[in-house]
């Protein structure tokens, strides 16, 4: 059974942290702020619409897609930082990540034959049901206008990287068979914080019955570091001990 993602996150912060520069910044009108930042995007990202997104389509170079996602995320993080809304914005982006995990959503928005008013209606429904901030709704409109909805998952990843850098946050993904209690997640967060020296630790949780029992913790950029406390790993280690080396008998 495939692992199931749970978007709820657990955040560990220092007991007494001074307000960040971004949080202290004077708010500015959020509705138009992303459009202003988007004007600084490379013209190639805002020019002619891309072809409709297809499953497995490799027409656009991956490097170009990565650059586009990074540019959109950078513009959004700049807006959120100036507005003092980094925390709320990363939460909104997690909501969009869940919505756009369904490829049909991006295909709908990137389809040039779908009337813009129908796309606007769906954007408004998403904004209302997810209680998105105005500048995040504006971001979504800009992405849809430029036929870049297929990049939303990548933009979310790049935005989280920018958020982590700005806030000194380490993200750890805890995978377990059942959802762990909050106190267990707090202990894991404290352990990751001690190992990494991060100011803050955000825990994301995954459910994967194939672990049998126990849990794993991935942290570091792209989850390059792993702590494996699962029963599956223990079984694999025990099984490997019974693997006998090849022996040649002289007859």
């Amino acid at each position: 059974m495939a692992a199931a993602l749970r978007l709820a996150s657990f955040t560990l912060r220092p007991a007494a942290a001074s307000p960040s520069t971004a949080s202290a910044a004077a708010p500015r009108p959020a509705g138009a702020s992303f459009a202003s930042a988007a004007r600084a995007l490379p013209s190639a990202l805002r020019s002619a619409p891309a072809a409709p997104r297809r499953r497995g389509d490799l027409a656009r170079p991956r490097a170009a897609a990565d650059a586009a996602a990074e540019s959109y995320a950078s513009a959004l993080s700049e807006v959120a930082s100036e507005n003092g809304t980094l925390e709320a914005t990363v939460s909104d982006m997690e909501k969009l990540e869940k919505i756009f995990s369904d490829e049909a959503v991006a295909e709908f928005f990137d389809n040039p034959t779908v009337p813009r008013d129908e796309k606007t209606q769906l954007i408004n429904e998403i904004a209302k049901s997810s209680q998105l901030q105005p500048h995040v709704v504006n971001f979504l409109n800009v992405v849809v206008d430029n036929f870049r909805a297929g990049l939303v998952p990548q933009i979310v990843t790049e935005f989280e990287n920018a958020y982590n850098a700005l806030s000194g946050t380490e993200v750890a993904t805890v995978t377990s068979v059942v959802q762990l209690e909050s106190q267990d997640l707090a202990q894991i967060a404290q352990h990751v914080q001690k190992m990494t020296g991060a100011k803050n630790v955000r825990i994301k949780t995954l459910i994967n019955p194939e672990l049998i029992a126990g849990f794993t913790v991935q942290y570091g950029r792209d989850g390059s570091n792993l702590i494996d406390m699962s029963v599956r790993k223990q079984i694999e280690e025990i099984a490997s001990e019974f693997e006998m080396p090849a022996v040649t008998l002289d007859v």
Side-chain angles (χ1 to χ4, degrees), residues 2 17 21 27 35-36 83 95 108 125 129 135-136 160 166 175 178 189 203-204 206-207 211 215 230 232:
T21 303
S36 299
N83 285 346
K95 296 173 185 176
F108 171 83
E125 291 176 1
S129 63
H135 66 275
V136 176
E160 288 186 337
L166 288 169
T175 304
V178 297
I203 296 290
K204 286 188 173 183
L206 281 166
I207 301 300
L211 294 182
F215 61 89
S230 67
R232 182 175 68 179

Side-chain angles (χ1 to χ4, degrees), residues 61-153:
R62 181 178 298 275
D66 291 344
E70 186 175 354
S71 296
Y72 279 107
S74 177
L76 183 59
S77 64
E78 176 186 343
V79 170
S81 181
E82 292 183 7
N83 285 346
T85 59
L86 275 173
E87 292 291 338
T89 303
V90 77
S91 176
D92 284 355
M93 294 302 283
E94 286 182 343
K95 296 173 185 176
L96 290 182
E97 180 181 32
K98 182 177 181 180
I99 293 169
F100 280 82
S101 63
D102 183 351
E103 291 188 359
V105 176
E107 289 172 356
F108 171 83
F109 282 128
D110 281 348
N111 188 341
T113 67
V114 176
R116 184 56 171 88
D117 59 346
E118 292 185 16
K119 296 179 182 180
T120 299
Q121 182 179 355
L122 181 55
I123 289 173
N124 291 339
E125 291 176 1
I126 291 173
K128 183 177 180 180
S129 63
S130 300
Q131 298 182 327
L132 301 179
Q133 299 171 95
H135 66 275
V136 176
V137 178
N138 202 8
F139 152 78
L140 188 53
N141 274 289
V142 171
V143 169
V144 169
D145 284 341
N146 290 321
F147 294 85
R148 300 298 192 191
L151 291 180
V152 168

Side-chain angles (χ1 to χ4, degrees), residues 201-216:
V201 175
R202 294 178 64 241
I203 296 290
K204 286 188 173 183
T205 58
L206 281 166
I207 301 300
N208 184 2
E210 293 182 2
L211 294 182
I212 303 175
F215 61 89
T216 65

Side-chain angles (χ1 to χ4, degrees), residues 172-244:
T173 300
V174 178
T175 304
S176 57
V177 177
V178 297
Q179 184 67 22
L180 299 180
E181 298 292 336
S182 59
Q183 59 266 29
D184 297 325
L185 296 176
Q187 290 180 359
I188 293 172
Q190 289 172 354
H191 187 63
V192 171
Q193 187 176 49
K194 183 178 180 180
M195 290 189 300
T196 62
K199 293 180 181 178
N200 310 307
V201 175
R202 294 178 64 241
I203 296 290
K204 286 188 173 183
T205 58
L206 281 166
I207 301 300
N208 184 2
E210 293 182 2
L211 294 182
I212 303 175
F215 61 89
T216 65
V217 182
Q218 285 184 285
Y219 63 96
R221 189 172 180 85
D222 300 324
S224 54
N225 298 314
L226 174 67
I227 301 172
D228 195 335
M229 304 294 291
S230 67
V231 169
R232 182 175 68 179
K233 180 175 184 295
Q234 296 174 21
I235 292 176
E236 290 174 351
E237 290 177 345
I238 293 173
S240 66
E241 294 179 0
F242 285 93
E243 293 180 2
M244 301 296 292

